[in-house]
């Protein structure tokens, strides 16, 4: 099987997944080339939140989402996310009907990290910085939120849904 295409940008070398479409690859490339510092800052904020937990994970969603949003706001990263979204939309060949803001529906802080969303002609563009994983306990029926200590290019997830 041939190697997937590799993209280099800023300080990263990124391997595209085979299932990504060309617009998704273009978004990934643009975000990592032009906004790698913002993605790095998101991962740093997530790491700071995780260090406040008693252990490697938490079952309290509020111990993740609220502190992450607060940390992103305090460091100015939250205010940078609409710019990242605008660049992503441009890379996907789309246009925004309004200027995005650091609030829903454009920017949402979820239990896995920031989610940037826009509807463009090609469909729904979603850019996620997945700094946490949700692990379900099938025996107990609960969930745990686990910090993902990953490089920015591994945290970045792009999808364009038609």
């Amino acid at each position: 099987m041939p190697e997937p295409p590799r993209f280099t940008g800023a300080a990263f070398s990124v391997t595209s997944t085979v299932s990504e479409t060309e617009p998704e690859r273009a978004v990934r490339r643009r975000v990592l080339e032009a906004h790698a510092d913002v993605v790095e800052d998101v991962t740093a904020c997530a790491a700071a939140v995780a260090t406040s937990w008693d252990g490697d994970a938490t079952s309290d969603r509020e111990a993740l989402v609220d502190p992450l949003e607060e940390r992103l706001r305090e460091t100015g990263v939250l205010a940078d996310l609409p710019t990242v979204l605008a660049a992503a939309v441009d890379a996907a060949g789309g246009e925004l009907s309004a200027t995005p803001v650091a609030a829903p529906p454009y920017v949402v802080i979820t239990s896995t990290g920031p989610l940037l969303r826009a509807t463009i002609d090609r469909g729904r563009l979603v850019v996620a910085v997945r700094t946490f994983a949700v692990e379900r306990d099938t025996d107990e029926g609960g969930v745990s939120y686990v910090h993902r200590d990953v490089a920015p290019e591994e945290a970045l997830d792009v999808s364009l849904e038609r």
Side-chain angles (χ1 to χ4, degrees), residues 24-45:
E24 290 167 338
R25 283 190 295 275
V27 169
R28 170 180 286 284
R29 199 169 34 243
R30 173 80 58 85
V31 170
L32 290 173
E33 288 175 354
H35 300 285
D37 57 331
V38 177
V39 179
E40 286 177 345
D41 291 345
V42 168
T43 62
C45 288

Side-chain angles (χ1 to χ4, degrees), residues 66-162:
D66 293 341
L68 180 59
E69 185 167 358
E70 182 178 319
R71 183 76 177 199
L72 292 167
R73 183 174 284 109
E74 288 172 353
T75 58
V77 178
L78 188 61
D80 292 336
L81 294 175
T83 302
V84 175
L85 178 59
V89 168
D90 182 62
E95 292 184 19
L96 289 165
S97 59
T99 302
V101 295
Y106 299 105
V107 176
V108 180
I109 308 305
T110 71
S111 59
T112 59
L115 195 65
L116 317 179
R117 307 178 295 193
T119 301
I120 59 175
D121 287 343
R122 292 180 167 185
R124 184 80 164 157
L125 177 63
V126 178
V127 178
V129 184
R130 300 200 186 279
T131 53
F132 295 94
V134 179
E135 295 184 358
R136 303 199 185 288
D137 182 347
T138 54
D139 295 334
E140 300 293 322
V143 297
S144 291
Y145 304 98
V146 181
H147 177 244
R148 296 179 65 226
D149 187 16
V150 296
E153 64 270 17
E154 294 176 57
L156 188 64
D157 184 33
V158 177
S159 67
L160 182 58
E161 301 162 3
R162 299 185 197 281

